[in-house]
Amino acid sequence: MIEKLKAIEQEVKVLILNNADETEMFRLKYLSKKGLINDLFEEFKTIPNDQKKEVGKYMNILKQTAQEKLDSAQVKFSTDKQNSSNIIDTSLPGDAQKIGTQHPLVLIEKEIFRIFNTLGFSLAYGPEIEDDWHNFSGLNFPENHPARDMQDTFFIEKDIALRTHTSSVQIRLMEKQSPPLRAIMPGRVYRNEAISARAHCFFHQVEGIYIDKKVSFADLKQTLYYFVKEMFGEEFEVRFRPSYFPFTEPSAEMDISCTICKGKGCNVCKYTGWVEILGCGMIDTNVLQANNINPEEYSGFAFGMGIERITMLKYNIKDLRVFSINDMRFLQQFESE
Ligand code: PHE
């Protein structure tokens, strides 16, 4: 038997395996359950006990030789599929990690900060839950006056409501600081409106205020012209229309030529070629007086704009609801930090 084992071992040793198929044939012939080596182990059981030690040694040598040959051939001829699961290829490019993007409203808000910052405006914030004084009375809305219905208000209790505009922060600023004042005040505002492509029950505004000696309507216009040029570029036209707000006199609304159709007429500008972007005016003397600022000495202007509106014009977005439904396909289109 020893001779037979030696012969087989020699045979295994000289065998050359050239590919995966030959390797598999080799495995079946020698090392599978029904293979030659298993058969030899069966035969081994029948030999006299005193020979077992010697024969066993050759059995093991044969098995080891065959197994080593099989192992190295399997590594050599393993398919790509096996390769990737067994071996880490450090030369392959890594899996890209997705980083979050900034919300378009945040991007535009930052741009608004940047523009007004170059004009010396600082930042101020106020609470979203407001009392009647800051949201209405302090801003010269007379009690029971229909102007209070200009904005549909969510009341929390009598005289406490979710702010309907960021103009409330004007009052908070005037209480805390004395002129000269120059600040922008961003934040979320709430109105009890049916949700549609053009309106939402919450949105964002940026309020601006400038109070100093001899501030004029010309200063207001130049400031806002500068803002539009910086935000949208030189090619857009601007116009002021007379308007009414209880806290400004005179009051105006500012339109820019439609950024979507470039003034030709489309459904965003309702075929007028113009879109309203903000309300503004000279701060009413009643508002200054109510906050202990002498209107003989100081004058000022204020403006308030909707961040959603600016963002829609800037990015050509036609439905306001996309800002709050968190659709990743929409959000991923914007820059990250
Ligand atoms: N608060 C006004 C609004 O929400 C906008 C505005 C702000 C108008 C400041 C004039 C001055 O419509």
Side-chain angles (χ1 to χ4, degrees), residues 128-130 153-163:
E128 292 181 15
I129 297 174
E130 266 301 6
T153 310
F154 283 118
F155 283 96
I156 291 172
E157 53 191 65
K158 192 184 175 302
D159 291 345
I160 303 286
L162 295 175
R163 68 179 175 197

Side-chain angles (χ1 to χ4, degrees), residues 151 164-167 170 191 205 207-208 245 247-248 252 279-281 302-305:
Q151 301 158 354
T164 56
H165 52 187
T166 43
S167 300
Q170 285 187 34
R191 290 183 197 176
Q205 287 188 327
E207 194 83 7
F245 301 102
F247 38 97
T248 46
C280 60
F303 58 86
M305 65 181 93

Side-chain angles (χ1 to χ4, degrees), residues 44-145:
F44 177 71
K45 286 179 190 160
T46 63
I47 63 167
N49 275 348
D50 56 347
Q51 288 179 28
K52 271 195 173 143
K53 195 173 169 205
E54 187 65 353
V55 176
K57 202 170 100 189
Y58 286 98
M59 286 289 305
N60 285 333
I61 291 173
L62 170 61
K63 191 171 181 198
Q64 206 179 339
T65 310
Q67 190 65 49
E68 272 168 15
K69 185 149 213 126
L70 179 69
D71 287 350
S72 69
Q74 273 179 339
V75 170
K76 201 162 150 199
F77 302 118
S78 61
T79 62
D80 285 347
K81 210 170 112 205
Q82 285 168 319
N83 239 342
S84 64
S85 61
N86 296 335
I87 299 163
I88 296 165
D89 183 350
T90 51
S91 67
L92 286 173
D95 292 335
Q97 294 289 320
K98 279 200 181 127
I99 42 171
T101 55
Q102 296 203 349
H103 196 282
L105 294 177
V106 172
L107 292 171
I108 293 298
E109 193 181 82
K110 281 187 172 175
E111 179 62 4
I112 296 173
F113 294 170
R114 186 195 65 77
I115 295 167
F116 284 102
N117 198 264
T118 61
L119 295 174
F121 285 76
S122 56
L123 266 172
Y125 295 92
E128 292 181 15
I129 297 174
E130 266 301 6
D131 51 33
D132 176 90
W133 172 256
H134 292 93
N135 201 76
F136 294 119
S137 302
L139 286 160
N140 198 32
F141 282 84
E143 212 157 318
N144 302 320
H145 191 280

